[in-house]
Amino acid sequence: MKALFTVLSLSVSSLAMAAPDADLLVGTWNCGASETSAQGSMEIDGTVEYKADKSANYDMTMSMDLTELGESFTIAMSGTGTWRLEGDKLVSTAESMDVSNAGEPSEFVDMMMPQFKAQQQAQLGKETRSTIVELTENKLVERPADGSDTVECTR
């Protein structure tokens, strides 16, 4: 009985870890995430276009409401990069990124913009990894390597 359980466990594990079909990933995905804490809330909406040549285009907005500071703002980010699959891991590298104020004019955003831009510039050329939890024709679910909540994308 123990041997049968071991064989079944290994079979199920190998199915769960099967590499996703890269062809299913190619195309434009609409992604979103939100988070709320005592300090405020954050909402991210964006699109990612994974191209067959392994290049990618990114466009997103990040809206933040910083309750403690009494500030609300929206930042837009767009850029280009590359992607590849390593088993069930999606490995992305940002090559260019532009950050701008997408909301109302704000002294706070003007003051923070150099920091926002520096953070994005520091990520250029660095690989980020996520585990593909689910990939179908119309749904992509990723779990970032940093342990944060899964991100769900649809077409």
Side-chain angles (χ1 to χ4, degrees), residues 98-139:
D98 183 48
V99 182
S100 61
N101 182 359
E104 297 294 321
S106 161
E107 288 181 28
F108 178 79
V109 173
D110 291 345
M111 179 183 72
M112 296 301 295
M113 192 56 67
Q115 182 179 345
F116 294 142
K117 289 182 178 185
Q119 287 172 339
Q120 293 305 314
Q121 291 297 315
Q123 295 305 310
L124 295 181
K126 294 184 180 177
E127 292 184 347
T128 59
R129 295 175 180 269
S130 61
T131 301
I132 295 180
V133 176
E134 182 178 353
L135 178 59
T136 66
E137 185 66 33
N138 295 308
K139 186 176 182 182

PDB file of all heavy atoms in Angstrom, residues 98-139:
ATOM      1  N   ASP A  98       9.574  53.443 -17.905  1.00  0.00           N
ATOM      2  CA  ASP A  98       9.282  54.862 -17.748  1.00  0.00           C
ATOM      3  C   ASP A  98       8.228  54.994 -16.662  1.00  0.00           C
ATOM      4  O   ASP A  98       7.273  54.207 -16.616  1.00  0.00           O
ATOM      5  CB  ASP A  98       8.772  55.455 -19.066  1.00  0.00           C
ATOM      6  CG  ASP A  98       8.530  56.944 -18.952  1.00  0.00           C
ATOM      7  OD1 ASP A  98       9.426  57.646 -18.431  1.00  0.00           O
ATOM      8  OD2 ASP A  98       7.459  57.402 -19.362  1.00  0.00           O
ATOM      9  N   VAL A  99       8.397  55.948 -15.786  1.00  0.00           N
ATOM     10  CA  VAL A  99       7.477  56.179 -14.668  1.00  0.00           C
ATOM     11  C   VAL A  99       6.999  57.620 -14.743  1.00  0.00           C
ATOM     12  O   VAL A  99       7.798  58.538 -14.947  1.00  0.00           O
ATOM     13  CB  VAL A  99       8.179  55.934 -13.312  1.00  0.00           C
ATOM     14  CG1 VAL A  99       7.221  56.128 -12.156  1.00  0.00           C
ATOM     15  CG2 VAL A  99       8.810  54.553 -13.266  1.00  0.00           C
ATOM     16  N   SER A 100       5.677  57.825 -14.575  1.00  0.00           N
ATOM     17  CA  SER A 100       5.137  59.188 -14.610  1.00  0.00           C
ATOM     18  C   SER A 100       3.916  59.297 -13.697  1.00  0.00           C
ATOM     19  O   SER A 100       3.311  58.297 -13.328  1.00  0.00           O
ATOM     20  CB  SER A 100       4.760  59.584 -16.041  1.00  0.00           C
ATOM     21  OG  SER A 100       3.758  58.722 -16.542  1.00  0.00           O
ATOM     22  N   ASN A 101       3.556  60.519 -13.376  1.00  0.00           N
ATOM     23  CA  ASN A 101       2.361  60.794 -12.588  1.00  0.00           C
ATOM     24  C   ASN A 101       1.151  60.644 -13.504  1.00  0.00           C
ATOM     25  O   ASN A 101       1.045  61.329 -14.512  1.00  0.00           O
ATOM     26  CB  ASN A 101       2.427  62.207 -12.008  1.00  0.00           C
ATOM     27  CG  ASN A 101       1.234  62.533 -11.134  1.00  0.00           C
ATOM     28  OD1 ASN A 101       0.332  61.717 -10.952  1.00  0.00           O
ATOM     29  ND2 ASN A 101       1.227  63.736 -10.577  1.00  0.00           N
ATOM     30  N   ALA A 102       0.240  59.744 -13.147  1.00  0.00           N
ATOM     31  CA  ALA A 102      -0.964  59.528 -13.964  1.00  0.00           C
ATOM     32  C   ALA A 102      -2.198  60.110 -13.296  1.00  0.00           C
ATOM     33  O   ALA A 102      -3.312  59.883 -13.750  1.00  0.00           O
ATOM     34  CB  ALA A 102      -1.173  58.035 -14.212  1.00  0.00           C
ATOM     35  N   GLY A 103      -1.992  60.857 -12.225  1.00  0.00           N
ATOM     36  CA  GLY A 103      -3.119  61.433 -11.503  1.00  0.00           C
ATOM     37  C   GLY A 103      -3.055  62.943 -11.484  1.00  0.00           C
ATOM     38  O   GLY A 103      -2.435  63.579 -12.350  1.00  0.00           O
ATOM     39  N   GLU A 104      -3.690  63.497 -10.491  1.00  0.00           N
ATOM     40  CA  GLU A 104      -3.705  64.952 -10.319  1.00  0.00           C
ATOM     41  C   GLU A 104      -2.294  65.451  -9.990  1.00  0.00           C
ATOM     42  O   GLU A 104      -1.516  64.743  -9.368  1.00  0.00           O
ATOM     43  CB  GLU A 104      -4.653  65.324  -9.167  1.00  0.00           C
ATOM     44  CG  GLU A 104      -6.101  64.958  -9.423  1.00  0.00           C
ATOM     45  CD  GLU A 104      -6.701  65.760 -10.566  1.00  0.00           C
ATOM     46  OE1 GLU A 104      -6.408  66.966 -10.678  1.00  0.00           O
ATOM     47  OE2 GLU A 104      -7.457  65.165 -11.362  1.00  0.00           O
ATOM     48  N   PRO A 105      -1.976  66.690 -10.409  1.00  0.00           N
ATOM     49  CA  PRO A 105      -0.693  67.261 -10.017  1.00  0.00           C
ATOM     50  C   PRO A 105      -0.574  67.262  -8.490  1.00  0.00           C
ATOM     51  O   PRO A 105      -1.557  67.514  -7.783  1.00  0.00           O
ATOM     52  CB  PRO A 105      -0.758  68.692 -10.560  1.00  0.00           C
ATOM     53  CG  PRO A 105      -1.751  68.625 -11.674  1.00  0.00           C
ATOM     54  CD  PRO A 105      -2.755  67.588 -11.252  1.00  0.00           C
ATOM     55  N   SER A 106       0.598  66.929  -8.006  1.00  0.00           N
ATOM     56  CA  SER A 106       0.770  66.786  -6.567  1.00  0.00           C
ATOM     57  C   SER A 106       2.213  67.073  -6.179  1.00  0.00           C
ATOM     58  O   SER A 106       3.141  66.517  -6.772  1.00  0.00           O
ATOM     59  CB  SER A 106       0.397  65.348  -6.156  1.00  0.00           C
ATOM     60  OG  SER A 106       0.922  65.006  -4.913  1.00  0.00           O
ATOM     61  N   GLU A 107       2.390  67.921  -5.164  1.00  0.00           N
ATOM     62  CA  GLU A 107       3.728  68.197  -4.658  1.00  0.00           C
ATOM     63  C   GLU A 107       4.351  66.926  -4.082  1.00  0.00           C
ATOM     64  O   GLU A 107       5.550  66.689  -4.226  1.00  0.00           O
ATOM     65  CB  GLU A 107       3.689  69.288  -3.589  1.00  0.00           C
ATOM     66  CG  GLU A 107       3.410  70.665  -4.142  1.00  0.00           C
ATOM     67  CD  GLU A 107       3.406  71.728  -3.055  1.00  0.00           C
ATOM     68  OE1 GLU A 107       4.093  71.550  -2.024  1.00  0.00           O
ATOM     69  OE2 GLU A 107       2.711  72.745  -3.252  1.00  0.00           O
ATOM     70  N   PHE A 108       3.508  66.096  -3.450  1.00  0.00           N
ATOM     71  CA  PHE A 108       3.995  64.854  -2.872  1.00  0.00           C
ATOM     72  C   PHE A 108       4.559  63.942  -3.968  1.00  0.00           C
ATOM     73  O   PHE A 108       5.655  63.408  -3.841  1.00  0.00           O
ATOM     74  CB  PHE A 108       2.878  64.140  -2.100  1.00  0.00           C
ATOM     75  CG  PHE A 108       3.298  62.826  -1.516  1.00  0.00           C
ATOM     76  CD1 PHE A 108       4.044  62.778  -0.351  1.00  0.00           C
ATOM     77  CD2 PHE A 108       2.951  61.627  -2.144  1.00  0.00           C
ATOM     78  CE1 PHE A 108       4.448  61.564   0.197  1.00  0.00           C
ATOM     79  CE2 PHE A 108       3.342  60.410  -1.605  1.00  0.00           C
ATOM     80  CZ  PHE A 108       4.093  60.369  -0.443  1.00  0.00           C
ATOM     81  N   VAL A 109       3.805  63.776  -5.057  1.00  0.00           N
ATOM     82  CA  VAL A 109       4.265  62.928  -6.161  1.00  0.00           C
ATOM     83  C   VAL A 109       5.516  63.526  -6.792  1.00  0.00           C
ATOM     84  O   VAL A 109       6.472  62.805  -7.085  1.00  0.00           O
ATOM     85  CB  VAL A 109       3.158  62.711  -7.212  1.00  0.00           C
ATOM     86  CG1 VAL A 109       3.694  61.968  -8.420  1.00  0.00           C
ATOM     87  CG2 VAL A 109       1.996  61.958  -6.596  1.00  0.00           C
ATOM     88  N   ASP A 110       5.543  64.835  -6.983  1.00  0.00           N
ATOM     89  CA  ASP A 110       6.727  65.490  -7.538  1.00  0.00           C
ATOM     90  C   ASP A 110       7.950  65.207  -6.672  1.00  0.00           C
ATOM     91  O   ASP A 110       9.040  64.938  -7.186  1.00  0.00           O
ATOM     92  CB  ASP A 110       6.521  66.999  -7.663  1.00  0.00           C
ATOM     93  CG  ASP A 110       5.496  67.381  -8.722  1.00  0.00           C
ATOM     94  OD1 ASP A 110       5.149  66.508  -9.556  1.00  0.00           O
ATOM     95  OD2 ASP A 110       5.039  68.535  -8.701  1.00  0.00           O
ATOM     96  N   MET A 111       7.753  65.252  -5.357  1.00  0.00           N
ATOM     97  CA  MET A 111       8.840  65.007  -4.424  1.00  0.00           C
ATOM     98  C   MET A 111       9.285  63.535  -4.478  1.00  0.00           C
ATOM     99  O   MET A 111      10.467  63.232  -4.404  1.00  0.00           O
ATOM    100  CB  MET A 111       8.404  65.361  -2.998  1.00  0.00           C
ATOM    101  CG  MET A 111       9.465  65.108  -1.943  1.00  0.00           C
ATOM    102  SD  MET A 111       8.860  65.447  -0.276  1.00  0.00           S
ATOM    103  CE  MET A 111       7.744  64.076  -0.037  1.00  0.00           C
ATOM    104  N   MET A 112       8.333  62.606  -4.634  1.00  0.00           N
ATOM    105  CA  MET A 112       8.629  61.173  -4.614  1.00  0.00           C
ATOM    106  C   MET A 112       9.048  60.610  -5.977  1.00  0.00           C
ATOM    107  O   MET A 112       9.630  59.527  -6.045  1.00  0.00           O
ATOM    108  CB  MET A 112       7.407  60.396  -4.106  1.00  0.00           C
ATOM    109  CG  MET A 112       7.033  60.697  -2.667  1.00  0.00           C
ATOM    110  SD  MET A 112       8.357  60.326  -1.489  1.00  0.00           S
ATOM    111  CE  MET A 112       8.484  58.558  -1.673  1.00  0.00           C
ATOM    112  N   MET A 113       8.776  61.325  -7.060  1.00  0.00           N
ATOM    113  CA  MET A 113       9.043  60.804  -8.400  1.00  0.00           C
ATOM    114  C   MET A 113      10.501  60.369  -8.595  1.00  0.00           C
ATOM    115  O   MET A 113      10.737  59.294  -9.169  1.00  0.00           O
ATOM    116  CB  MET A 113       8.620  61.808  -9.472  1.00  0.00           C
ATOM    117  CG  MET A 113       8.605  61.223 -10.867  1.00  0.00           C
ATOM    118  SD  MET A 113       7.561  59.751 -11.078  1.00  0.00           S
ATOM    119  CE  MET A 113       5.939  60.438 -10.839  1.00  0.00           C
ATOM    120  N   PRO A 114      11.488  61.140  -8.143  1.00  0.00           N
ATOM    121  CA  PRO A 114      12.873  60.653  -8.313  1.00  0.00           C
ATOM    122  C   PRO A 114      13.104  59.293  -7.636  1.00  0.00           C
ATOM    123  O   PRO A 114      13.797  58.434  -8.178  1.00  0.00           O
ATOM    124  CB  PRO A 114      13.727  61.750  -7.663  1.00  0.00           C
ATOM    125  CG  PRO A 114      12.890  62.982  -7.781  1.00  0.00           C
ATOM    126  CD  PRO A 114      11.469  62.502  -7.597  1.00  0.00           C
ATOM    127  N   GLN A 115      12.486  59.078  -6.483  1.00  0.00           N
ATOM    128  CA  GLN A 115      12.615  57.795  -5.795  1.00  0.00           C
ATOM    129  C   GLN A 115      11.914  56.677  -6.574  1.00  0.00           C
ATOM    130  O   GLN A 115      12.460  55.589  -6.729  1.00  0.00           O
ATOM    131  CB  GLN A 115      12.046  57.872  -4.380  1.00  0.00           C
ATOM    132  CG  GLN A 115      12.196  56.589  -3.606  1.00  0.00           C
ATOM    133  CD  GLN A 115      11.654  56.692  -2.200  1.00  0.00           C
ATOM    134  OE1 GLN A 115      11.399  57.765  -1.682  1.00  0.00           O
ATOM    135  NE2 GLN A 115      11.466  55.541  -1.573  1.00  0.00           N
ATOM    136  N   PHE A 116      10.703  56.943  -7.075  1.00  0.00           N
ATOM    137  CA  PHE A 116       9.984  55.957  -7.882  1.00  0.00           C
ATOM    138  C   PHE A 116      10.828  55.563  -9.102  1.00  0.00           C
ATOM    139  O   PHE A 116      10.967  54.393  -9.431  1.00  0.00           O
ATOM    140  CB  PHE A 116       8.633  56.489  -8.362  1.00  0.00           C
ATOM    141  CG  PHE A 116       7.626  56.742  -7.281  1.00  0.00           C
ATOM    142  CD1 PHE A 116       6.788  57.836  -7.363  1.00  0.00           C
ATOM    143  CD2 PHE A 116       7.493  55.898  -6.183  1.00  0.00           C
ATOM    144  CE1 PHE A 116       5.838  58.083  -6.380  1.00  0.00           C
ATOM    145  CE2 PHE A 116       6.558  56.130  -5.198  1.00  0.00           C
ATOM    146  CZ  PHE A 116       5.731  57.228  -5.287  1.00  0.00           C
ATOM    147  N   LYS A 117      11.371  56.576  -9.784  1.00  0.00           N
ATOM    148  CA  LYS A 117      12.171  56.311 -10.986  1.00  0.00           C
ATOM    149  C   LYS A 117      13.447  55.548 -10.641  1.00  0.00           C
ATOM    150  O   LYS A 117      13.830  54.617 -11.356  1.00  0.00           O
ATOM    151  CB  LYS A 117      12.489  57.619 -11.706  1.00  0.00           C
ATOM    152  CG  LYS A 117      11.273  58.226 -12.383  1.00  0.00           C
ATOM    153  CD  LYS A 117      11.620  59.489 -13.130  1.00  0.00           C
ATOM    154  CE  LYS A 117      10.369  60.020 -13.825  1.00  0.00           C
ATOM    155  NZ  LYS A 117      10.645  61.180 -14.669  1.00  0.00           N
ATOM    156  N   ALA A 118      14.088  55.903  -9.543  1.00  0.00           N
ATOM    157  CA  ALA A 118      15.318  55.215  -9.135  1.00  0.00           C
ATOM    158  C   ALA A 118      15.039  53.750  -8.799  1.00  0.00           C
ATOM    159  O   ALA A 118      15.831  52.864  -9.147  1.00  0.00           O
ATOM    160  CB  ALA A 118      15.952  55.919  -7.928  1.00  0.00           C
ATOM    161  N   GLN A 119      13.900  53.485  -8.150  1.00  0.00           N
ATOM    162  CA  GLN A 119      13.546  52.100  -7.834  1.00  0.00           C
ATOM    163  C   GLN A 119      13.354  51.292  -9.108  1.00  0.00           C
ATOM    164  O   GLN A 119      13.799  50.142  -9.195  1.00  0.00           O
ATOM    165  CB  GLN A 119      12.274  52.050  -6.984  1.00  0.00           C
ATOM    166  CG  GLN A 119      12.478  52.496  -5.560  1.00  0.00           C
ATOM    167  CD  GLN A 119      11.165  52.614  -4.794  1.00  0.00           C
ATOM    168  OE1 GLN A 119      10.089  52.741  -5.364  1.00  0.00           O
ATOM    169  NE2 GLN A 119      11.275  52.587  -3.477  1.00  0.00           N
ATOM    170  N   GLN A 120      12.687  51.856 -10.100  1.00  0.00           N
ATOM    171  CA  GLN A 120      12.473  51.148 -11.355  1.00  0.00           C
ATOM    172  C   GLN A 120      13.792  50.963 -12.107  1.00  0.00           C
ATOM    173  O   GLN A 120      14.044  49.892 -12.648  1.00  0.00           O
ATOM    174  CB  GLN A 120      11.451  51.876 -12.232  1.00  0.00           C
ATOM    175  CG  GLN A 120      10.056  51.879 -11.664  1.00  0.00           C
ATOM    176  CD  GLN A 120       9.552  50.471 -11.370  1.00  0.00           C
ATOM    177  OE1 GLN A 120       9.690  49.574 -12.184  1.00  0.00           O
ATOM    178  NE2 GLN A 120       8.994  50.283 -10.201  1.00  0.00           N
ATOM    179  N   GLN A 121      14.626  51.987 -12.135  1.00  0.00           N
ATOM    180  CA  GLN A 121      15.914  51.882 -12.822  1.00  0.00           C
ATOM    181  C   GLN A 121      16.795  50.812 -12.181  1.00  0.00           C
ATOM    182  O   GLN A 121      17.525  50.107 -12.878  1.00  0.00           O
ATOM    183  CB  GLN A 121      16.643  53.236 -12.821  1.00  0.00           C
ATOM    184  CG  GLN A 121      15.983  54.282 -13.689  1.00  0.00           C
ATOM    185  CD  GLN A 121      15.971  53.895 -15.152  1.00  0.00           C
ATOM    186  OE1 GLN A 121      16.954  53.439 -15.704  1.00  0.00           O
ATOM    187  NE2 GLN A 121      14.818  54.065 -15.787  1.00  0.00           N
ATOM    188  N   ALA A 122      16.699  50.669 -10.869  1.00  0.00           N
ATOM    189  CA  ALA A 122      17.501  49.667 -10.157  1.00  0.00           C
ATOM    190  C   ALA A 122      17.098  48.241 -10.536  1.00  0.00           C
ATOM    191  O   ALA A 122      17.887  47.314 -10.386  1.00  0.00           O
ATOM    192  CB  ALA A 122      17.374  49.861  -8.645  1.00  0.00           C
ATOM    193  N   GLN A 123      15.884  48.067 -11.047  1.00  0.00           N
ATOM    194  CA  GLN A 123      15.401  46.739 -11.430  1.00  0.00           C
ATOM    195  C   GLN A 123      15.760  46.360 -12.866  1.00  0.00           C
ATOM    196  O   GLN A 123      15.638  45.194 -13.251  1.00  0.00           O
ATOM    197  CB  GLN A 123      13.874  46.664 -11.244  1.00  0.00           C
ATOM    198  CG  GLN A 123      13.440  46.791  -9.797  1.00  0.00           C
ATOM    199  CD  GLN A 123      14.129  45.766  -8.899  1.00  0.00           C
ATOM    200  OE1 GLN A 123      14.152  44.585  -9.194  1.00  0.00           O
ATOM    201  NE2 GLN A 123      14.715  46.239  -7.827  1.00  0.00           N
ATOM    202  N   LEU A 124      16.208  47.331 -13.646  1.00  0.00           N
ATOM    203  CA  LEU A 124      16.532  47.042 -15.048  1.00  0.00           C
ATOM    204  C   LEU A 124      17.652  46.006 -15.132  1.00  0.00           C
ATOM    205  O   LEU A 124      18.651  46.096 -14.430  1.00  0.00           O
ATOM    206  CB  LEU A 124      16.930  48.315 -15.788  1.00  0.00           C
ATOM    207  CG  LEU A 124      15.842  49.369 -15.942  1.00  0.00           C
ATOM    208  CD1 LEU A 124      16.373  50.566 -16.719  1.00  0.00           C
ATOM    209  CD2 LEU A 124      14.596  48.804 -16.592  1.00  0.00           C
ATOM    210  N   GLY A 125      17.447  45.021 -15.987  1.00  0.00           N
ATOM    211  CA  GLY A 125      18.449  43.986 -16.195  1.00  0.00           C
ATOM    212  C   GLY A 125      18.424  42.868 -15.170  1.00  0.00           C
ATOM    213  O   GLY A 125      19.141  41.883 -15.319  1.00  0.00           O
ATOM    214  N   LYS A 126      17.600  42.993 -14.138  1.00  0.00           N
ATOM    215  CA  LYS A 126      17.520  41.952 -13.108  1.00  0.00           C
ATOM    216  C   LYS A 126      16.366  41.012 -13.415  1.00  0.00           C
ATOM    217  O   LYS A 126      15.286  41.445 -13.800  1.00  0.00           O
ATOM    218  CB  LYS A 126      17.320  42.572 -11.724  1.00  0.00           C
ATOM    219  CG  LYS A 126      18.507  43.378 -11.261  1.00  0.00           C
ATOM    220  CD  LYS A 126      18.293  43.892  -9.861  1.00  0.00           C
ATOM    221  CE  LYS A 126      19.506  44.694  -9.419  1.00  0.00           C
ATOM    222  NZ  LYS A 126      19.308  45.279  -8.097  1.00  0.00           N
ATOM    223  N   GLU A 127      16.611  39.734 -13.222  1.00  0.00           N
ATOM    224  CA  GLU A 127      15.573  38.743 -13.461  1.00  0.00           C
ATOM    225  C   GLU A 127      14.597  38.688 -12.295  1.00  0.00           C
ATOM    226  O   GLU A 127      15.007  38.766 -11.142  1.00  0.00           O
ATOM    227  CB  GLU A 127      16.189  37.351 -13.641  1.00  0.00           C
ATOM    228  CG  GLU A 127      16.984  37.215 -14.901  1.00  0.00           C
ATOM    229  CD  GLU A 127      17.514  35.804 -15.103  1.00  0.00           C
ATOM    230  OE1 GLU A 127      17.480  34.981 -14.160  1.00  0.00           O
ATOM    231  OE2 GLU A 127      17.971  35.524 -16.221  1.00  0.00           O
ATOM    232  N   THR A 128      13.324  38.584 -12.614  1.00  0.00           N
ATOM    233  CA  THR A 128      12.310  38.293 -11.606  1.00  0.00           C
ATOM    234  C   THR A 128      11.681  36.956 -11.989  1.00  0.00           C
ATOM    235  O   THR A 128      11.512  36.652 -13.169  1.00  0.00           O
ATOM    236  CB  THR A 128      11.233  39.391 -11.530  1.00  0.00           C
ATOM    237  OG1 THR A 128      10.604  39.519 -12.812  1.00  0.00           O
ATOM    238  CG2 THR A 128      11.823  40.730 -11.122  1.00  0.00           C
ATOM    239  N   ARG A 129      11.356  36.175 -10.985  1.00  0.00           N
ATOM    240  CA  ARG A 129      10.803  34.842 -11.205  1.00  0.00           C
ATOM    241  C   ARG A 129       9.463  34.710 -10.515  1.00  0.00           C
ATOM    242  O   ARG A 129       9.272  35.227  -9.424  1.00  0.00           O
ATOM    243  CB  ARG A 129      11.743  33.767 -10.655  1.00  0.00           C
ATOM    244  CG  ARG A 129      13.051  33.703 -11.370  1.00  0.00           C
ATOM    245  CD  ARG A 129      14.005  32.712 -10.704  1.00  0.00           C
ATOM    246  NE  ARG A 129      15.250  32.693 -11.436  1.00  0.00           N
ATOM    247  CZ  ARG A 129      15.517  31.872 -12.437  1.00  0.00           C
ATOM    248  NH1 ARG A 129      14.631  30.989 -12.806  1.00  0.00           N
ATOM    249  NH2 ARG A 129      16.664  31.928 -13.064  1.00  0.00           N
ATOM    250  N   SER A 130       8.580  34.008 -11.177  1.00  0.00           N
ATOM    251  CA  SER A 130       7.306  33.656 -10.565  1.00  0.00           C
ATOM    252  C   SER A 130       6.960  32.242 -11.013  1.00  0.00           C
ATOM    253  O   SER A 130       7.430  31.769 -12.042  1.00  0.00           O
ATOM    254  CB  SER A 130       6.202  34.645 -10.971  1.00  0.00           C
ATOM    255  OG  SER A 130       6.018  34.616 -12.371  1.00  0.00           O
ATOM    256  N   THR A 131       6.162  31.580 -10.201  1.00  0.00           N
ATOM    257  CA  THR A 131       5.701  30.247 -10.537  1.00  0.00           C
ATOM    258  C   THR A 131       4.358  30.360 -11.231  1.00  0.00           C
ATOM    259  O   THR A 131       3.462  31.049 -10.726  1.00  0.00           O
ATOM    260  CB  THR A 131       5.557  29.378  -9.265  1.00  0.00           C
ATOM    261  OG1 THR A 131       6.828  29.304  -8.627  1.00  0.00           O
ATOM    262  CG2 THR A 131       5.066  27.982  -9.602  1.00  0.00           C
ATOM    263  N   ILE A 132       4.222  29.714 -12.366  1.00  0.00           N
ATOM    264  CA  ILE A 132       2.932  29.697 -13.050  1.00  0.00           C
ATOM    265  C   ILE A 132       2.082  28.621 -12.377  1.00  0.00           C
ATOM    266  O   ILE A 132       2.399  27.433 -12.444  1.00  0.00           O
ATOM    267  CB  ILE A 132       3.085  29.438 -14.552  1.00  0.00           C
ATOM    268  CG1 ILE A 132       3.850  30.611 -15.185  1.00  0.00           C
ATOM    269  CG2 ILE A 132       1.721  29.255 -15.204  1.00  0.00           C
ATOM    270  CD1 ILE A 132       4.073  30.480 -16.667  1.00  0.00           C
ATOM    271  N   VAL A 133       1.047  29.066 -11.699  1.00  0.00           N
ATOM    272  CA  VAL A 133       0.145  28.173 -10.980  1.00  0.00           C
ATOM    273  C   VAL A 133      -0.901  27.608 -11.926  1.00  0.00           C
ATOM    274  O   VAL A 133      -1.287  26.447 -11.839  1.00  0.00           O
ATOM    275  CB  VAL A 133      -0.526  28.926  -9.805  1.00  0.00           C
ATOM    276  CG1 VAL A 133      -1.531  28.048  -9.095  1.00  0.00           C
ATOM    277  CG2 VAL A 133       0.524  29.454  -8.846  1.00  0.00           C
ATOM    278  N   GLU A 134      -1.365  28.471 -12.859  1.00  0.00           N
ATOM    279  CA  GLU A 134      -2.374  28.050 -13.825  1.00  0.00           C
ATOM    280  C   GLU A 134      -2.174  28.830 -15.112  1.00  0.00           C
ATOM    281  O   GLU A 134      -1.928  30.034 -15.085  1.00  0.00           O
ATOM    282  CB  GLU A 134      -3.773  28.322 -13.269  1.00  0.00           C
ATOM    283  CG  GLU A 134      -4.898  27.893 -14.163  1.00  0.00           C
ATOM    284  CD  GLU A 134      -6.279  28.146 -13.562  1.00  0.00           C
ATOM    285  OE1 GLU A 134      -6.390  28.544 -12.396  1.00  0.00           O
ATOM    286  OE2 GLU A 134      -7.255  27.929 -14.301  1.00  0.00           O
ATOM    287  N   LEU A 135      -2.280  28.138 -16.239  1.00  0.00           N
ATOM    288  CA  LEU A 135      -2.199  28.789 -17.546  1.00  0.00           C
ATOM    289  C   LEU A 135      -3.143  28.076 -18.493  1.00  0.00           C
ATOM    290  O   LEU A 135      -2.977  26.895 -18.783  1.00  0.00           O
ATOM    291  CB  LEU A 135      -0.767  28.746 -18.097  1.00  0.00           C
ATOM    292  CG  LEU A 135      -0.566  29.347 -19.487  1.00  0.00           C
ATOM    293  CD1 LEU A 135      -0.970  30.822 -19.525  1.00  0.00           C
ATOM    294  CD2 LEU A 135       0.884  29.178 -19.932  1.00  0.00           C
ATOM    295  N   THR A 136      -4.168  28.817 -18.924  1.00  0.00           N
ATOM    296  CA  THR A 136      -5.106  28.313 -19.914  1.00  0.00           C
ATOM    297  C   THR A 136      -5.183  29.354 -21.031  1.00  0.00           C
ATOM    298  O   THR A 136      -4.497  30.377 -20.976  1.00  0.00           O
ATOM    299  CB  THR A 136      -6.513  28.090 -19.319  1.00  0.00           C
ATOM    300  OG1 THR A 136      -7.067  29.362 -18.940  1.00  0.00           O
ATOM    301  CG2 THR A 136      -6.474  27.157 -18.115  1.00  0.00           C
ATOM    302  N   GLU A 137      -6.026  29.125 -21.987  1.00  0.00           N
ATOM    303  CA  GLU A 137      -6.189  30.064 -23.098  1.00  0.00           C
ATOM    304  C   GLU A 137      -6.554  31.468 -22.603  1.00  0.00           C
ATOM    305  O   GLU A 137      -6.136  32.467 -23.190  1.00  0.00           O
ATOM    306  CB  GLU A 137      -7.261  29.548 -24.065  1.00  0.00           C
ATOM    307  CG  GLU A 137      -7.422  30.389 -25.302  1.00  0.00           C
ATOM    308  CD  GLU A 137      -6.213  30.370 -26.219  1.00  0.00           C
ATOM    309  OE1 GLU A 137      -5.533  29.337 -26.299  1.00  0.00           O
ATOM    310  OE2 GLU A 137      -5.948  31.408 -26.857  1.00  0.00           O
ATOM    311  N   ASN A 138      -7.331  31.561 -21.509  1.00  0.00           N
ATOM    312  CA  ASN A 138      -7.838  32.860 -21.047  1.00  0.00           C
ATOM    313  C   ASN A 138      -7.485  33.214 -19.611  1.00  0.00           C
ATOM    314  O   ASN A 138      -7.996  34.202 -19.092  1.00  0.00           O
ATOM    315  CB  ASN A 138      -9.362  32.899 -21.211  1.00  0.00           C
ATOM    316  CG  ASN A 138      -9.756  32.823 -22.657  1.00  0.00           C
ATOM    317  OD1 ASN A 138      -9.270  33.595 -23.482  1.00  0.00           O
ATOM    318  ND2 ASN A 138     -10.607  31.873 -22.994  1.00  0.00           N
ATOM    319  N   LYS A 139      -6.628  32.423 -18.970  1.00  0.00           N
ATOM    320  CA  LYS A 139      -6.308  32.698 -17.573  1.00  0.00           C
ATOM    321  C   LYS A 139      -4.847  32.366 -17.272  1.00  0.00           C
ATOM    322  O   LYS A 139      -4.350  31.309 -17.646  1.00  0.00           O
ATOM    323  CB  LYS A 139      -7.223  31.891 -16.657  1.00  0.00           C
ATOM    324  CG  LYS A 139      -7.066  32.207 -15.187  1.00  0.00           C
ATOM    325  CD  LYS A 139      -8.096  31.429 -14.382  1.00  0.00           C
ATOM    326  CE  LYS A 139      -8.029  31.738 -12.913  1.00  0.00           C
ATOM    327  NZ  LYS A 139      -9.006  30.949 -12.156  1.00  0.00           N
TER     328      LYS A 139
END
